[in-house]
Amino acid sequence: MHELRSNTTTGSSPPVLAWVESLRPAATAAVCAALIAIVAAADSLTPFDLRLFILYFFPIAIAGWGKGTPAGLLCAFASGLAWSVANYLANPLPDDLRVLFWNIPAMFLSFLAVAYLIGMVRRMRDELLALAMNDPLTGLLNRRGFEQRAADLMDLLRRNPGPLAMVYLDVDNFKAVNDARGHSGGDDLLRAVGRALAKRTRRSDVAARVGGDEFAVLLNGADETAAAKFCRDLQALLLAADPLDRGRISVSIGAACFDAPPSGIEEFMEQANRLMFETKRGGKSGTTVRKVAIEA
């Protein structure tokens, strides 16, 4: 089974930032240590009047953006030490020692402030992306987040072929629930469906609320048998839920199974949506699972 990791940050970043975000912790530490050593060596060999301290901001930015504020602060502290040693080697002691008592703390604080600000901007960016990619009511992905994660998975499966299935479900009689219980009752119903999907899906799957009362799940590595079992288990979870005080959750499900990913996510969702409507026409509260051939 192919593992799909969250890519809501790197997929939305410029290439350089995406590369920084993709580095493993050990690689980030190695890159930052090498840059600090190079800058410190150059700093120690240049005249004192030539200021190279700004170059230390590059490893600080890599650590802070790539691995967060703690890593950035650690890199800032290491940069401050390297700057202090480099300047001592270039100009051992100034005539007025009070200069050291100002310059060294000021440089450390400058490096630490930059590291903190970079980490804060990264956190704010991630929070904004999360808001843009997730549905606040159910905690699942929204349609935009689903399409991006699904595209990532489909790209992976084109390189390493394997089966997958698209499950599309619609809550039956949702308008009647809203009319009878109000919008709060409808929201409770949608949250219950979201909880069931979150409980039943795996890390390698992609689940989302893609419309008002419509949900989609991309099942990684699932053939017809696995897709049918997923739908049965999901129906059982929903029947056991009781968000409306003895109110039965009824959903119509369509599952389209493929041996390889289709050309685009729209085609994938359309096939599953068509099967869901077959279930609706057959009396609702059921599942239609079918293998779909990709047209050449």
Side-chain angles (χ1 to χ4, degrees):
M1 181 184 302
H2 305 289
E3 183 72 13
L4 180 68
R5 299 183 184 276
S6 177
N7 197 32
T8 58
T9 56
T10 57
S12 303
S13 300
V16 173
L17 293 184
W19 173 76
V20 170
E21 294 165 13
S22 69
L23 290 175
R24 295 183 180 275
T28 301
V31 169
C32 292
L35 289 175
I36 291 172
I38 292 170
V39 175
D43 205 7
S44 67
L45 297 174
T46 55
F48 185 72
D49 291 337
L50 186 61
R51 310 293 183 176
L52 298 182
F53 69 88
I54 194 172
L55 298 179
Y56 290 101
F57 292 144
F58 286 99
I60 293 171
I62 290 173
W65 188 269
K67 295 297 171 277
T69 300
L73 293 175
L74 181 61
C75 188
F77 187 78
S79 296
L81 288 177
W83 175 86
S84 302
V85 172
N87 276 270
Y88 175 77
L89 294 175
N91 186 35
L93 286 176
D95 295 333
D96 188 348
L97 292 180
R98 288 176 298 180
V99 173
L100 292 179
F101 290 105
W102 171 258
N103 284 348
I104 292 177
M107 192 58 65
F108 269 87
L109 288 175
S110 298
F111 289 163
L112 292 171
V114 169
Y116 178 79
L117 289 173
I118 290 173
M120 182 175 66
V121 172
R122 171 66 196 269
R123 287 196 307 274
M124 292 174 63
R125 197 287 300 264
D126 289 348
E127 289 171 0
L128 289 174
L129 280 177
L131 289 174
M133 304 286 281
N134 290 276
D135 172 48
L137 181 64
T138 63
L140 301 174
L141 293 171
N142 59 20
R143 190 181 187 97
R144 176 183 176 183
F146 178 77
E147 289 178 352
Q148 179 173 316
R149 290 284 308 281
D152 291 341
L153 177 56
M154 290 166 69
D155 287 342
L156 176 64
L157 287 171
R158 289 188 185 99
R159 297 191 297 270
N160 303 282
L164 72 166
M166 173 72 80
V167 176
Y168 203 98
L169 64 99
D170 180 90
V171 179
D172 297 325
N173 307 314
F174 183 70
K175 185 178 183 301
V177 172
N178 264 339
D179 292 341
R181 304 292 184 113
H183 288 293
S184 61
D187 288 348
D188 289 340
L189 182 58
L190 294 175
R191 289 191 192 96
V193 176
R195 287 193 297 270
L197 286 171
K199 183 175 182 180
R200 182 59 185 82
T201 52
R202 306 158 300 175
R203 187 183 179 190
S204 58
D205 300 328
V206 186
R209 179 188 176 200
V210 294
D213 62 337
E214 297 178 349
F215 297 80
V217 185
L218 191 55
L219 298 176
N220 184 9
D223 56 13
E224 287 179 274
T225 301
K229 183 179 187 308
F230 172 87
C231 294
R232 288 195 302 271
D233 292 346
L234 181 61
Q235 290 276 21
L237 283 174
L238 293 173
L239 288 174
D242 189 18
L244 301 177
D245 187 19
R246 295 189 298 279
R248 178 175 177 269
I249 302 179
S250 172
V251 295
S252 297
I253 303 177
C257 304
F258 294 76
D259 287 330
S263 58
I265 188 64
E266 295 82 6
E267 177 187 353
F268 213 180
M269 296 181 70
E270 181 182 349
Q271 295 283 0
N273 192 41
R274 186 179 298 123
L275 295 176
M276 182 272 293
F277 275 110
E278 280 191 29
T279 304
K280 288 277 191 188
R281 291 192 293 269
K284 302 181 180 181
S285 189
T287 300
T288 302
V289 179
R290 188 172 302 151
K291 186 174 182 179
V292 179
I294 300 177
E295 296 182 3

